[in-house]
Amino acid sequence: NKRKIQIWPVYANEKVRKPIENIIKDVAPDLDIELFEPKNNHLLMQQCHRAIATSGTLTLELALYNIPTAVIYKISRLNYIIAKYIFRINLSHYCLVNIIAGKTLFPEFFGYKISPEHIVQSLQNIESCEQIKHILGEENASDNAAKEILAIL
């Protein structure tokens, strides 16, 4: 039996919609994948069970919806070398959820080599992210997140 998987990519702005549609046609021509506008993010978050996201406030929103998420940062090999060895950027966490929690709740994949297999496995192993709701509270989560981040800085 094959598991039914629904993929709901959300594009950031209208400029990237067509390139994403072309990639989907090339990579998965037999799948019926529907693109969603950013204004539908919250509707999708209420329906999904797992997510893959780039870093940013989206990860906080996903955590508040208690959606296990793998966070990816795909960068070129040159930029990776510059960041790591020239600027010596080596933080314990880059994802806002993990920074606020002070530990890894969402696995982060950073660099020029990101393995789809590792991402899938990490999504299967993520436990609840309810802890973020306790840290940020149910009300004024955005304000509370800003306060937490400022306290860390």
Side-chain angles (χ1 to χ4, degrees):
N1 282 349
K2 288 187 178 181
R3 289 177 44 196
K4 183 179 180 184
I5 297 176
Q6 293 178 316
I7 302 171
W8 296 333
V10 178
Y11 58 93
N13 61 55
E14 200 57 43
K15 289 182 195 175
V16 298
R17 182 183 178 103
K18 194 65 177 167
I20 291 173
E21 287 174 341
N22 291 335
I23 291 169
I24 290 170
K25 285 179 191 172
D26 290 344
V27 174
D30 299 332
L31 294 179
D32 184 21
I33 298 175
E34 183 179 351
L35 281 175
F36 285 86
E37 297 177 13
K39 68 181 180 184
N40 295 319
N41 276 358
H42 293 281
L43 176 65
L44 291 175
M45 286 184 217
Q46 293 169 4
Q47 301 296 317
C48 76
H49 301 283
R50 299 277 190 273
I52 300 171
T54 55
S55 184
T57 55
L58 175 62
T59 59
L60 282 175
E61 293 174 273
L62 289 162
L64 291 171
Y65 277 104
N66 198 27
I67 299 167
T69 302
V71 183
I72 59 171
Y73 313 86
K74 181 111 176 166
I75 62 171
S76 72
R77 181 179 215 150
L78 176 61
N79 286 339
Y80 178 79
I81 290 168
I82 291 170
K84 186 166 182 149
Y85 299 106
I86 295 176
F87 291 116
R88 301 194 194 295
I89 298 173
N90 191 20
L91 304 174
S92 58
H93 298 102
Y94 295 87
C95 169
L96 292 173
V97 172
N98 296 339
I99 291 169
I100 291 169
K103 65 180 186 178
T104 301
L105 294 179
F106 287 174
E108 298 178 61
F109 297 91
F110 183 178
Y112 58 94
K113 292 183 180 178
I114 296 177
S115 161
E117 294 80 16
H118 287 118
I119 294 170
V120 169
Q121 182 166 5
S122 75
L123 283 170
Q124 294 169 345
N125 296 332
I126 300 174
E127 295 182 20
S128 171
C129 43
E130 282 287 324
Q131 179 178 346
I132 288 296
K133 284 186 181 180
H134 297 298
I135 294 170
L136 299 181
E138 294 289 333
E139 296 180 20
N140 301 319
S142 298
D143 292 339
N144 295 338
K147 289 175 187 170
E148 288 290 328
I149 293 167
L150 287 173
I152 292 168
L153 297 177

